[in-house]
Amino acid sequence: MTVYQWLVLFGLLLKGTVDVFALKDVVLTIRPQIVERSGYATLMCSYDLEGASLYYVKWYRGKYEFYRYTPSEKTKTKLFPLGGINVNVDRSNSTQVVLTDIEFQLSGNFSCEVTTADEPVSTETAVQNMVVVQLPESPPTISVGREPLDYGDTLRANCSSPPSRPAARLKFILNELPVAFSEDFSPRSSQETRWSDLPLELLLQEHHFNRGKLVLRCVAQILDVYHEEAVLELTSARNPVPEKVSALDSAPATFCQPGLLVGALFFIGRF
Ligand SMILES: *[C@@H]1O[C@H](CO)[C@@H](O)[C@H](O)[C@H]1NC(C)=O
Ligand SMILES: *[C@@H]1O[C@H](CO)[C@@H](O)[C@H](O)[C@H]1NC(C)=O
Ligand SMILES: *[C@@H]1O[C@H](CO)[C@@H](O)[C@H](O)[C@H]1NC(C)=O
């Protein structure tokens, strides 16, 4: 038997006298969990009182309480002023708090603490992290040095993404081949936004060319809320491989046929 099973058994023995399992399943959900600066977020605290009555729900940012909901009192809601926190009281109740005009400094842990009124009083807390971001105002841009380029030349380029927080992570991709990444950057101050820059200096080799073409992409990413890219087609000094279809070139097309057939059979086989 697990400790939990023992506890359940113990609880069943006690049932009728006191209810040991008065409060459970306290869960805090923040929507959205990654919120844009000066936007708003809803913090939802769900709980199962199992028939007990609610004494209060206390809301904390870090270890500081900023909102309390006490259903038994005349003034059910109580606000504790805390720097940078704006509560929309009209939209807040016993299970949720709505924060508006969210600033960077609110990034961090929030928690809701639920306490029952009936003896024995039980208290449960749930914690959730919120991240405040500022996205760049425009997509990244690429600047390059001289063109055209050939094997043995050095490709010089810069990619930059306008100020954001956190700074965007940048990646250069040359013809589907990742060739450079930016490093992660930790902001020094709570208000800081920052440009992201990524230089590229690459000695071009044969495998960098695809049919004589050079396509350079720069991808800017912030957590999983922002993904933008810039694409630049560079002039290559290499003659592109002729794309006209000759008698010889048509040969690979016939190789496709068995594949198509297998694909069709597989498809039929799935029914
Ligand atoms: C609190 O307000 C939200 C949004 O208006 C609502 O969905 C929710 O049911 C309310 N909770 C309670 C316990 O009334
Ligand atoms: C935030 O909460 C998580 C999970 O409870 C904890 O591991 C982490 O240390 C907390 N962070 C801070 C800054 O208190
Ligand atoms: C890239 O940025 C560096 C430093 O800002 C600069 O010296 C260089 O000229 C830039 N190169 C291109 C191709 O824009």
Side-chain angles (χ1 to χ4, degrees):
M1 262 183 150
T2 65
V3 173
Y4 179 71
Q5 283 168 327
W6 278 112
L7 283 173
V8 169
L9 189 63
F10 183 63
L12 287 175
L13 292 174
L14 286 178
K15 206 155 176 84
T17 48
V18 285
D19 196 347
V20 181
F21 300 99
L23 174 64
K24 62 173 192 178
D25 300 339
V26 179
V27 177
L28 175 59
T29 313
I30 301 181
R31 286 219 181 92
Q33 203 174 351
I34 299 175
V35 56
E36 272 197 73
R37 175 195 208 176
S38 57
Y40 70 92
T42 306
L43 286 61
M44 284 163 282
C45 188
S46 64
Y47 44 85
D48 185 349
L49 294 172
E50 295 226 296
S53 53
L54 178 67
Y55 186 17
Y56 50 56
V57 182
K58 292 178 172 181
W59 294 83
Y60 298 86
R61 162 66 182 86
K63 55 184 192 214
Y64 301 102
E65 187 183 2
F66 63 91
Y67 178 79
R68 188 186 301 178
Y69 186 89
T70 317
S72 60
E73 282 176 14
K74 213 195 289 171
T75 318
K76 292 180 169 46
T77 58
K78 206 178 275 177
L79 278 175
F80 304 91
L82 191 59
I85 293 201
N86 304 297
V87 175
N88 182 332
V89 180
D90 293 340
R91 289 167 65 197
S92 303
N93 56 26
S94 61
T95 53
Q96 71 169 38
V97 170
V98 174
L99 300 181
T100 61
D101 284 322
I102 292 174
E103 271 302 323
F104 289 139
Q105 75 218 60
L106 292 193
S107 278
N109 280 349
F110 282 80
S111 51
C112 66
E113 180 191 289
V114 183
T115 303
T116 58
D118 308 308
E119 291 294 332
V121 168
S122 61
T123 296
E124 292 284 335
T125 304
V127 184
Q128 196 56 254
N129 191 258
M130 183 169 82
V131 181
V132 186
V133 297
Q134 177 152 315
L135 304 182
E137 276 186 359
S138 53
T141 50
I142 303 176
S143 60
V144 286
R146 64 170 191 90
E147 296 181 74
L149 297 153
D150 197 354
Y151 308 162
D153 286 344
T154 300
L155 165 62
R156 288 191 178 83
N158 287 327
C159 177
S160 58
S161 174
S164 65
R165 181 192 160 92
R169 300 189 66 173
L170 300 178
K171 178 164 69 174
F172 265 124
I173 300 172
L174 184 61
N175 289 345
E176 312 304 322
L177 207 65
V179 287
F181 302 88
S182 67
E183 284 172 15
D184 272 339
F185 165 79
S186 323
R188 277 180 295 268
S189 80
S190 66
Q191 294 303 310
E192 198 168 22
T193 61
R194 210 184 85 134
W195 281 87
S196 275
D197 296 294
L198 178 63
L200 175 68
E201 205 171 301
L202 185 72
L203 184 63
L204 291 174
Q205 288 164 354
E206 194 166 347
H207 69 272
H208 290 127
F209 290 78
N210 173 21
R211 290 179 166 263
K213 250 171 52 178
L214 282 171
V215 178
L216 186 64
R217 290 194 292 145
C218 173
V219 180
Q221 186 148 9
I222 298 173
L223 304 172
D224 57 1
V225 289
Y226 179 85
H227 185 111
E228 289 283 348
E229 59 180 64
V231 185
L232 204 60
E233 206 160 303
L234 302 170
T235 317
S236 163
R238 282 285 136 177
N239 288 330
V241 175
E243 287 192 36
K244 67 175 192 285
V245 180
S246 67
L248 279 176
D249 279 347
S250 66
T254 56
F255 288 141
C256 290
Q257 300 306 336
L260 279 176
L261 192 59
V262 170
L265 285 175
F266 176 70
F267 188 66
I268 290 163
R270 305 222 350 152
F271 283 91

